[in-house]
Amino acid sequence: MSWLTGKAALITGASRGIGRAIALMMADEGADIAFTYVSASGAAEETVNAIKEKGRRAIAFQADARHLDATEVVVNAVIKEFGRIDILVNNAGITRDRLLVRMSEQDWDDVIETNLKSAFNFCKVVSRHMVAQRRGKIVNVASIAGVVGNVGQTNYAAAKSGMIGLTKTVAREYASRNIQVNAIAPGYVATEMVEQVNTDRMGELGQRFPLKLMAQPEEIAELALFFASSASDYITGQVLPGVND
């Protein structure tokens, strides 16, 4: 039997990158998948089709995870479609990298709301259903930047550090309800978002990695799968940092 047979997962920001890798891997392990995206409708459709080809149900929602009312609509639709939500993966994220002196208020607000407030929204709404089920798994995709900081990413590091604090606190609040909440804090992963970083800068960063290479999205998905499965039933409130920084 696969690890997630009979389970339903909701993943934010899963039309591409890490989120897509998580969606496909969880589908391989038997889960039905619902996910959100903002603008990449073509990529979202491709992801839905890829999941269905694995014999699993799939549904995509174009929704802005920053807004609580939109979150309510998505979660209610997933419950109507699948009857339950066993796994929540908070993966939605953007970057607006600039040195602090050049960072605008909008740069700050966009990243904090997309990367951190979205996790608050989905944890708040989904946890109600998990409490009723007396079981659930929440996996937050943070970043090593939230642990050690990173030049030019004041907003991103603050959001991911906040996600780590959210993880540890929500884990304590729901431990008695058999809901485990954990986070992954990867370093640089080979995704479209990371490809936006200056090539010379990436060369410098590569020399810092003990393994001298970036992680692949599938390697991060393996960690999410572990936290979403029964293998982690006795683990909550933990942050697994990336090993490549």
Side-chain angles (χ1 to χ4, degrees):
M1 180 181 292
S2 298
W3 280 18
L4 304 182
T5 298
K7 304 294 185 182
L10 171 58
I11 307 166
T12 66
S15 62
R16 52 194 175 188
I18 293 173
R20 185 178 193 274
I22 292 172
L24 295 180
M25 190 168 291
M26 288 189 176
D28 279 333
E29 290 297 327
D32 293 323
I33 307 294
F35 68 90
T36 68
Y37 68 98
V38 175
S39 59
S41 57
E45 184 177 356
E46 289 176 4
T47 301
V48 165
N49 291 337
I51 293 167
K52 288 182 176 179
E53 287 174 2
K54 298 175 183 295
R56 308 312 311 163
R57 291 183 291 174
I59 184 169
F61 299 91
Q62 186 171 21
D64 192 335
R66 297 176 299 177
H67 302 300
L68 186 60
D69 56 350
T71 302
E72 295 270 10
V73 170
V74 169
V75 172
N76 289 338
V78 176
I79 293 294
K80 182 177 180 180
E81 181 74 16
F82 293 160
R84 59 191 296 115
I85 298 175
D86 302 286
I87 301 156
L88 168 66
V89 181
N90 285 304
N91 173 71
I94 61 171
T95 56
R96 296 288 185 271
D97 294 356
R98 287 176 180 80
L99 293 175
L100 178 61
V101 68
R102 296 179 184 143
M103 187 173 289
S104 69
E105 182 179 12
Q106 194 64 54
D107 292 333
W108 173 270
D109 289 346
D110 286 346
V111 171
I112 294 296
E113 290 183 4
T114 301
N115 297 21
L116 180 56
K117 188 185 176 187
S118 66
F120 160 79
N121 289 342
F122 276 88
C123 283
K124 179 179 176 67
V125 179
V126 172
S127 64
R128 299 173 192 158
H129 300 280
M130 290 183 171
V131 166
Q133 294 169 180
R134 300 289 296 182
R135 178 176 293 277
K137 299 278 190 173
I138 298 176
V139 184
N140 294 324
V141 182
S143 169
I144 197 67
V147 179
V148 301
N150 195 30
V151 173
Q153 290 193 315
T154 304
N155 48 7
Y156 186 80
K160 295 302 188 178
S161 180
M163 183 179 275
I164 290 170
L166 180 149
T167 298
K168 291 180 175 293
T169 302
V170 176
R172 288 180 178 273
E173 291 186 1
Y174 288 110
S176 64
R177 305 302 182 92
N178 195 29
I179 299 170
Q180 291 83 46
V181 188
N182 293 288
I184 305 163
Y188 283 90
V189 182
T191 64
E192 289 181 27
M193 187 167 72
V194 170
E195 287 173 0
Q196 298 172 13
V197 177
N198 179 275
T199 302
D200 292 336
R201 172 74 171 145
M202 285 308 304
E204 295 171 11
L205 290 168
Q207 295 308 306
R208 291 170 46 191
F209 304 160
L211 299 178
K212 304 302 181 187
L213 47 82
M214 289 190 292
Q216 296 299 311
E218 292 75 16
E219 292 173 307
I220 307 306
E222 292 276 8
L223 306 180
L225 177 61
F226 169 72
F227 279 138
S229 75
S230 59
S232 63
D233 280 354
Y234 197 65
I235 302 173
T236 196
Q238 300 305 303
V239 181
L240 186 59
V243 297
N244 61 355
D245 200 355

